[in-house]
Amino acid sequence: IRMDFQPTGKQQRTSFRKEMVEGVCWLWHRPLLRMMTLVVALQLLAVVGGDLGVIVLAQQQHASAVEIGLIFSAGGIGGILGALFAPFLRKRLPFVTLLLCTEWLLALFWFGYAFAPAILLLALLEAVVAVVDQIMDVVWVSYRIALIPSALQGRVNSIYRLVGQVSRPLGLFGAGVVLQKVGGGEMFLFTGFILVVAALGASVALGLNRSTI
């Protein structure tokens, strides 16, 4: 990241409350960041229970502990490949195109878990989803950080992450309930529709703010 995280000059400190309000106001008055904050919160709500769902699906296919571990290892490899490949794509594709493609591909491949008939396919899906997710993270997070003034990085990013992280325990609770009541495949179908809503939200946000991107 080619930017200075240590602003030069003496920084005048005010009250903690005033500084936090300043960070909230800055984020609120940026329509793209405001909408994407909600989009990311929805995505976390949907995907946070994915590991639980994969374990349930694998056990339904009589996978051993080693095979379940290999499924998640495939996801780890996919994540590394996605992170390495993201800068290459970012240089060759417009930001809007790349972010929208990853948003919709994540939703599409997420539905695939519900219909995976074999352990090998589960591992392949885990790897592909991890590739897409990491590319999305690199593209969006780097763009978001570049937009925020250095003096506001801590405040704005903490507010942004707070909104997203609140959805994680809710997502885990919901995933546990759905898994217990209906099963793994149904959980992925339900959360897949949440990802579709998130992708629609990203499409609207990027479409309305295309002139400023």
Side-chain angles (χ1 to χ4, degrees):
I1 300 176
R2 297 179 177 87
M3 64 181 295
D4 185 8
F5 287 98
Q6 299 295 330
T8 57
K10 188 176 181 180
Q11 299 296 309
Q12 184 176 4
R13 298 301 303 270
T14 57
S15 69
F16 174 78
R17 180 179 178 182
K18 184 176 181 180
E19 289 183 347
M20 290 305 299
V21 169
E22 184 182 3
V24 171
C25 290
W26 191 93
L27 178 62
W28 181 257
H29 288 98
R30 269 66 185 180
L32 176 60
L33 289 177
R34 185 177 66 221
M35 186 66 176
M36 286 302 296
T37 300
L38 300 177
V39 167
V40 171
L42 270 180
Q43 287 175 334
L44 288 174
L45 181 72
V47 304
V48 70
D51 288 349
L52 292 174
V54 168
I55 292 172
V56 170
L57 290 178
Q59 289 178 336
Q60 289 174 348
Q61 297 177 24
H62 309 291
S64 66
V66 172
E67 288 172 326
I68 293 175
L70 289 174
I71 290 172
F72 289 120
S73 296
I77 294 171
I80 293 172
L81 293 176
L84 292 173
F85 197 46
F88 174 84
L89 291 175
R90 184 67 184 92
K91 291 178 181 178
R92 288 160 178 79
L93 292 173
F95 164 75
V96 173
T97 301
L98 192 52
L99 186 58
L100 282 181
C101 284
T102 53
E103 292 278 351
W104 284 103
L105 284 174
L106 179 62
L108 176 65
F109 286 121
W110 198 258
F111 282 113
Y113 283 109
F115 305 101
I119 296 171
L120 182 61
L121 188 54
L122 278 177
L124 180 61
L125 278 169
E126 192 75 5
V128 172
V129 166
V131 169
V132 174
D133 183 60
Q134 285 302 310
I135 292 174
M136 183 194 304
D137 279 351
V138 171
V139 171
W140 170 243
V141 174
S142 60
Y143 182 83
R144 185 189 83 227
I145 290 176
L147 287 180
I148 303 171
S150 295
L152 294 174
Q153 284 286 343
R155 280 169 280 175
V156 175
N157 279 303
S158 63
I159 295 162
Y160 172 92
R161 291 181 65 84
L162 175 64
V163 174
Q165 297 302 319
V166 164
S167 65
R168 295 178 74 91
L170 297 176
L172 284 170
F173 174 77
V177 171
V178 176
L179 284 170
Q180 187 175 28
K181 297 295 184 182
V182 291
E186 290 79 1
M187 189 213 75
F188 280 105
L189 288 176
F190 179 73
T191 52
F193 284 113
I194 296 177
L195 289 176
V196 169
V197 173
L200 286 171
S203 301
V204 171
L206 293 168
L208 292 176
N209 297 279
R210 186 179 290 268
S211 60
T212 63
I213 298 174

